[in-house]
Structures are given as structure tokens and as C-alpha cells.
Amino acid sequence: MAKDKVSRREFLTKTSLAASTAVAGAATGQVGAQEPEEYVQSDYSVRAKALVSVLSKKNLLDPAELDGVVEFYETRVGPHIGARLVARSWVDPEFRERLLSDANAAATELGIERRRDLVAVANTPQVHNLVVCTLCSCYPWFILGLPPTWYKDTAYRARAVIDPRGVLKEFGTELDEEMEVRVWDSTAEVRYLVIPERPQGTEGMTEEQLQGLVTRDSMIGAEKLIPRV
Amino acid sequence: MNGIHDLGGMDGFTLPERGPNEPSLKYDWEALVFVTNIALDSPWSLDEMRFTTESMPPDLYISTPYFGRWLWSIEKLVAKYGLATEEELRNPDGPMGAVEDFQPFTRDEIDQAIPPKFRVGDDVIVKNEHSTGHTRVPRYVRGHRGTIDRDHGVYDLPDNIAHGLDPKPQHCYAVMFRASELWGTRANPRDRIYADLWDDYLEAAP
């Protein structure tokens, strides 16, 4: 992972040099000799590098800033933030009430910075929640980090609202017929956080240990947390 | 617009694998597109960028990877607002023209005291309107009956922001729809779908 990060850093800051090389490579017809998938990716690579290079030359982008932006979104924000809200709601029933009635205020209580308005929806033995953005890919990145690829996929966007149980089954969770599924389509400015049920067998755990159990996908509603027995 | 992006309820797609921690930015070019979108102090709103993506020809939209759609949209908007020409993007080491003056997009403070048209518990019908411009009311709820579940507060109307019109701030609600209302006998009758909809998208149910 560290190796990947170093190579990406070099990639971003050396973009203007790379742009001309990439364009020249395409022009000499080397691209045609690649596998179709590689060709497609190198085509996007050429265009993306050209875009950054041109905007940088026009002083509309500062290439030196780019690494910092990626690092922020890949590491500083992430599901560890949402997990704090979940774990606190498990150990403190009054906090849970506050979280469910006003997630903005509850996030502020824990010192969590929001970029959008937040609504928390709780899974119970009777109700399972699932979040989607059918129209594009809106996602609570400020508390969960960057969205998984499957969330942004056309298939998930199309199916989640009409066949949530089928989607969950393919994702490995089978729900009882008697349960109620609630699908939240993030069509506006509010972002949704699913509060998964606390898994069985975690009674002795500290709040910090509980945070470690909460997965990104459980906070989207794509999975339930497994019991610890 | 009734575009290809409005996917809710469509059949025929194959769900991808749900990997435990696959990266959101898999290829380096995706990272470049991602940061450009964040770091650029653009003259266009997020709403206009969404509309630009929605305007992709349907076959291109479906066959283009997610960040490829962002790239396409940014290229179009950069040209539209005179930040760079298509020629310059094709020849990044060639001659560069000056950037036309522009104002970065900003939003005004929203007056939260604007009164709502509806209250929690009200039954509503989603208007059967089919704008050719940007809107955030998906086709699968239009004409259907739902119940106001939450009042999220006041927000600018994206239909207007995307096209540079008066922001027309108004209440936006989580509206609850019974799955059987939307999908007929195909649905599990216990299930509910919630969509966040603005005042202008709704009318009182009889």
C-alpha cells in the first residue's frame, strides 16, 4: 500500500512532463498494440493528464496541491469516522436517541466535521435500511470516506430501489420475509448513515473495540455485522 | 431530463462483486480526475456538472467508467466556460490561450425561515412533470403517492441552480413510498422506498 502511494505521488506531480510523453506515445500508434482494457485506460490517462497539464499551465490548478487532496480523501476521512457515531450509539442509549433525531447535532457532539446534512437510520431486528443514489452516486464521504466502486455502479443504482432483497442476497445477506426493508435514495443534499445492529457476543467490549467492528459496508446497509460468539 | 442516468428500477444489470476494501480510485487517471474536480475553483455548480453528465449520449454514458463520465463532463464545462479549448486539451504542449475572466461559483446564504408547503404525515402525489433540464425527481416516483416522513429543511432548487436561474430555496422532504405503490405485485409489500423531494416536485394528495 505504501508503495502504491509513493508511485501515485510521483504520478501526480510529474503530470505535465508525462502529458507530452503520453500524447506522443498515442500518436506513434503504440496504443493499438495493447489489450482493449489497457487501451481504454491509457486513453483516459492521456486525457486526464492533458486536462491537469493544461489547467496547471493556465494557473487554474496547482499540481503541488493535488497529492494533499488525494491523501485527505483516501486516509483522513474514512469509515472510522462513521464508526465512532455507531459505537457511541451502542453504548449510550440517550446518544442513540439524539443521533436518530438530529444526526447533525450528534456529529458535532463528537467533534465530527460535516460537509452536508446527515440523517442516521437504525437497523433493528424488524427493519433493515439500505442507502443508494440512483441518479448519480451521492455518498456521505465526510464520515465514510470515498465510496466503494459497487455503490457507484449502474447495476446497484438501478436495482437497489426495486430489488433490495435481491441485492442484499447477492452481497451475502439474506433477510427474513417478515422484515421490513427501507431504501433511502439520496436524491437531494441530505446524506444517510445506516446504524447497524450491535452484533451479539460484544457485551464486554470497550467503545474503542466496538468502533473496530463497524464496517463501511454495514453503514451503507449492504451487510450486517457478524456475531462475535 | 428523462436521461439514462435515471436508473432506478431498471432491469438487466449485473451487480458487481462487493470486495471488502477495493480502492475507490483504482487507476491513477481516476485520481487525477477526482482531484481536478475538487481542487478547481470552477465557475460551474455541482448541479450543472451533474446535468452535463446526464446529457451524455445514453450508450456512451452506460459504457463509460464512472470517472470517465466526470472527465467527459469537466472537458465539456472547461470548454463551455472558456477555461481551455478542445484544441488545447488535445495538444497540452502546444500554444495556450489566455483564460477568459470568470467568477467561481458560489452559493448564497439560504433563508431557513421559508415556510414549508407540507408537514410530516401529509400524503402527497409526485407531480407528473418531465422537464428537459436538470431535476432530482426520479422517474420511478413521478405520479405516485407517498407520505412526508421528514422535513430536511430549506435548500436551493437544483433544477434552477444547474441552469443559472434564481435559486428558489424551498423545503426538501424525505417522502416515503410503499414498495407496492412503486412496483406493483413485484414488491415485498412490507418494504418502503424514501426519496428526498423538494416542494416544487409535490402536490397534496386528494
Side-chain angles (χ1 to χ4, degrees):
Chain A
M1 192 61 189
K3 182 167 178 278
D4 289 342
K5 275 191 193 171
V6 167
S7 62
R8 171 158 292 166
R9 195 167 299 134
E10 287 172 0
F11 180 89
L12 292 176
T13 53
K14 287 175 184 172
T15 286
S16 57
L17 175 67
S20 54
T21 315
V23 170
T28 58
Q30 289 172 331
V31 159
Q34 293 168 308
E35 293 295 323
E37 166 68 14
E38 283 173 25
Y39 169 72
V40 164
Q41 297 305 334
S42 70
D43 177 53
Y44 289 121
S45 188
V46 165
R47 285 166 57 196
K49 286 175 185 175
L51 178 69
V52 172
S53 177
V54 169
L55 293 177
S56 302
K57 285 180 183 175
K58 294 180 181 239
N59 295 317
L60 296 171
L61 269 189
D62 179 1
E65 271 186 36
L66 302 185
D67 284 313
V69 173
V70 172
E71 204 207 319
F72 176 80
Y73 283 87
E74 281 188 324
T75 61
R76 295 263 303 282
V77 285
H80 57 277
I81 300 177
R84 292 176 53 211
L85 289 165
V86 173
R88 178 63 61 91
S89 78
W90 288 344
V91 302
D92 182 346
E94 282 168 10
F95 179 81
R96 179 190 165 92
E97 286 298 307
R98 294 199 294 279
L99 178 61
L100 296 180
S101 68
D102 186 349
N104 286 344
T108 302
E109 262 188 69
L110 297 196
I112 291 169
E113 191 187 332
R114 290 181 302 104
R115 298 300 176 90
R116 298 272 189 200
D117 290 324
L118 188 64
V119 168
V121 292
N123 286 354
T124 71
Q126 294 80 36
V127 173
H128 186 89
N129 295 279
L130 183 66
V131 180
V132 66
C133 175
T134 60
L135 297 173
C136 50
S137 63
C138 302
Y139 186 80
W141 60 263
F142 49 93
I143 50 163
L144 292 187
L146 294 177
T149 308
W150 59 259
Y151 181 87
K152 301 178 288 188
D153 194 275
T154 45
Y156 182 73
R157 289 164 51 190
R159 285 184 61 188
V161 289
I162 190 169
D163 183 23
R165 291 163 186 274
V167 168
L168 285 165
K169 186 172 172 183
E170 279 183 48
F171 280 168
T173 299
E174 235 175 303
L175 299 175
D176 289 338
E177 274 294 303
E178 281 78 55
M179 284 193 71
E180 174 187 321
V181 176
R182 296 181 182 169
V183 186
W184 301 84
D185 192 356
S186 316
T187 53
E189 309 260 349
V190 166
R191 298 292 172 260
Y192 289 95
L193 174 72
V194 175
I195 309 297
E197 291 173 87
R198 178 173 180 168
Q200 287 175 359
T202 61
E203 289 71 33
M205 288 185 170
T206 65
E207 191 174 336
E208 205 177 321
Q209 287 172 321
L210 291 170
Q211 285 172 18
L213 299 181
V214 186
T215 64
R216 173 197 63 192
D217 288 5
S218 71
M219 292 185 280
I220 304 169
E223 68 181 7
K224 288 191 170 299
L225 299 173
I226 54 174
R228 251 66 180 176
V229 265
Chain B
M1 59 183 285
N2 286 358
I4 189 70
H5 69 289
D6 192 351
L7 291 162
M10 260 200 234
D11 285 327
F13 293 93
T14 302
L15 210 58
E17 299 263 315
R18 184 176 66 96
N21 273 312
E22 93 269 323
S24 197
L25 304 170
K26 184 177 172 188
Y27 296 102
D28 285 333
W29 69 263
E30 295 182 321
L32 280 181
V33 173
F34 177 75
V35 298
T36 299
N37 190 53
I38 304 277
L40 185 61
D41 213 0
S42 70
W44 59 82
S45 61
L46 173 58
D47 309 82
E48 182 176 5
M49 181 165 160
R50 287 194 182 120
F51 180 66
T52 306
T53 308
E54 291 161 9
S55 309
M56 283 181 90
D59 50 344
L60 186 62
Y61 184 103
I62 288 293
S63 59
T64 300
Y66 177 79
F67 284 106
R69 300 199 286 264
W70 281 34
L71 178 57
W72 188 93
S73 304
I74 296 170
E75 288 169 340
K76 289 275 178 270
L77 288 164
V78 153
K80 175 181 174 184
Y81 281 91
L83 273 56
T85 65
E86 284 177 22
E87 184 60 29
E88 287 168 341
L89 291 178
R90 270 196 298 275
N91 299 292
D93 291 317
M96 295 282 132
V99 178
E100 294 173 26
D101 272 341
F102 68 88
Q103 284 285 84
F105 177 80
T106 52
R107 302 192 97 105
D108 292 331
E109 199 67 36
I110 297 174
D111 177 12
Q112 289 294 324
I114 291 170
K117 266 170 58 180
F118 302 104
R119 288 175 305 186
V120 172
D122 283 353
D123 280 350
V124 292
I125 306 270
V126 180
K127 291 178 184 173
N128 186 31
E129 294 296 342
H130 294 260
S131 156
T132 54
H134 182 62
T135 190
R136 293 293 288 190
V137 53
R139 286 202 286 282
Y140 74 86
V141 299
R142 294 179 200 170
H144 285 293
R145 184 185 187 106
T147 307
I148 304 287
D149 189 77
R150 286 171 199 251
D151 185 338
H152 293 312
V154 181
Y155 298 88
D156 290 336
L157 185 66
D159 310 50
N160 281 23
I161 298 288
H163 300 289
L165 304 173
D166 152 48
K168 213 179 176 195
Q170 56 192 260
H171 281 257
C172 183
Y173 315 89
V175 180
M176 185 281 291
F177 301 91
R178 299 268 170 198
S180 44
E181 162 74 17
L182 299 179
W183 314 121
T185 56
R186 189 169 159 176
N188 183 309
R190 284 180 184 77
D191 295 346
R192 305 170 180 216
I193 292 87
Y194 298 76
D196 291 334
L197 303 170
W198 273 260
D199 266 325
D200 276 9
Y201 300 161
L202 305 170
E203 55 198 12

